[in-house]
Amino acid sequence: MAGEIFDGFRVVGFDLETTGFDVRKERIVEYALIGSDVDGSDINLQSLVYPEKRIPFEASNVHGIKDQDVRDSGNFSEHIGEISKIINDSIVVGHNIIKFDWKMLEMECFRAGVETPKPRAIIDTLVIARKLKIPGRHKLGILCNKYGIDLSNAHRADADAGATLILLWKIMKENPRFFRGTIDDLQDSLAGVRRENLLGPGLEDLEPVPQSRGLLRINNTEIIIAFGKHKGRSLDEINRNDPRYLNWLFSPSSPIERTVCEKYKHLFQG
C-alpha cells in the first residue's frame, strides 16, 4: 500500500496562522501539529502565540484570532521547545508549507536566536497536487471539497493541519504509483531531482503476467499496465479514474490475449 512509505516515522500535519503573508515582517499567532507517533499514538499540539505586534483586522477577518485572544499566550520563544520536540526527525506535512509555513517558522527561530527544527522530511500537498496535475485549482479548501474532507473550521491551524493529513492520504490512495519508493525518493521527485517513473521498481523489474506478452506486470498484489496512456498504473487505479479505458482493455480490440482478459475482467464487473 502507498501508506507504507511512512511506516516507522512520526507523521504530523503542520499549519500556522499569522499576522500576514510577508514572512520577513509578519508573526505567528497560532500553530498546530496534528498526527501520529511511531507507535501509533496521537499527536495534537496546538496553541495561540503572542506575536508581539497588533494583529491586523484583515488577518483577524480570515482566522478569527484577535489581539485579546493571544495576549496571555506567550511569545514564540516560549513555544519553540515543544514544537521542536515533535518536528525533529518527523515527516512534516503541510499545504504550501515550503513557500510559507516553513519559511515563517525559520524566521521566527532566527528572531528568537534558536535553531530551526530538523524534520526527517517536509511533504507539501500543494506541490504534490501540481505534480500529479490534479484537475482544478489547488487551494486547500478546493481540494478538500473535491476529496470529501470536512474543513468547516478552515483557517484555524488545527483544522487545516488535520485536513492536510487526510488530503495526503486520499491522494496517496488515488495515486499509489507516485508513492511506491522511499521517503527520499518522494522528496527528490517533488524537488524535481528524479522523474516520477523512477520511484519504486521500474516496469522492467516487475514479473510479467503469464501470457500477457509483458503488457501486464505483477507488483505485489497489483496488476500494472505496461503500455499506452496509463503505462505504470494499476488496474484498480485505472478502474477508479478511467473505467472506459478499462472496458476497452478487456474488449476484443485489446492487444492483450483473451484468456488473460477473461481472467481479470470479472474482478471489475458488477
Side-chain angles (χ1 to χ4, degrees), residues 8 10 16 31 71 93 95 112-113 152 190-191:
R10 182 189 303 123
L16 300 174
Y31 64 87
R71 190 171 293 122
V93 181
H95 197 75
S152 54
L190 295 178

Side-chain angles (χ1 to χ4, degrees), residues 219-252:
N219 184 39
N220 296 322
T221 60
E222 295 182 314
I223 303 300
I224 309 298
I225 188 170
F227 72 98
K229 70 175 184 177
H230 288 303
K231 182 178 180 180
R233 296 184 180 273
S234 71
L235 295 185
D236 284 331
E237 188 178 351
I238 297 170
N239 186 49
R240 288 194 303 272
N241 297 303
D242 194 356
R244 293 180 62 184
Y245 184 87
L246 197 67
N247 289 337
W248 169 82
L249 192 67
F250 293 143
S251 75

Side-chain angles (χ1 to χ4, degrees), residues 31 75-85 105 109 112 114-117:
Y31 64 87
N75 61 27
F76 178 78
S77 297
E78 298 176 54
H79 294 271
I80 184 57
E82 291 299 313
I83 293 172
S84 293
K85 283 180 184 178
L105 182 66
C109 288
V114 298
E115 189 174 17
T116 303

Side-chain angles (χ1 to χ4, degrees), residues 126-177:
L126 175 60
V127 176
I128 289 174
R130 289 172 174 170
K131 186 84 172 178
L132 292 174
K133 298 180 180 178
I134 294 174
R137 298 172 66 192
H138 296 148
K139 288 187 175 182
L140 180 60
I142 293 173
L143 287 168
C144 284
N145 184 62
K146 173 182 175 65
Y147 285 95
I149 301 167
D150 178 34
L151 194 54
S152 54
N153 200 22
H155 299 300
R156 289 305 298 260
D158 58 339
D160 288 359
T164 301
L165 266 188
I166 298 171
L167 174 63
L168 176 62
W169 175 247
K170 287 184 177 278
I171 291 175
M172 289 170 70
K173 287 185 69 176
E174 187 176 80
N175 302 273
R177 174 174 174 254

Side-chain angles (χ1 to χ4, degrees), residues 14 16-19 22-31 49-53 74-80 83 100-117:
F14 178 52
L16 300 174
E17 301 303 329
T18 65
T19 58
D22 189 336
V23 298
R24 298 166 299 176
K25 300 177 181 178
E26 305 300 346
R27 308 297 296 271
I28 294 171
V29 298
E30 186 181 42
Y31 64 87
V49 180
Y50 176 57
E52 302 181 83
K53 64 178 292 186
N75 61 27
F76 178 78
S77 297
E78 298 176 54
H79 294 271
I80 184 57
I83 293 172
F100 182 70
D101 301 81
W102 196 256
K103 289 186 180 298
M104 183 69 73
L105 182 66
E106 287 178 327
M107 283 302 300
E108 289 281 22
C109 288
F110 176 77
R111 292 189 194 100
V114 298
E115 189 174 17
T116 303

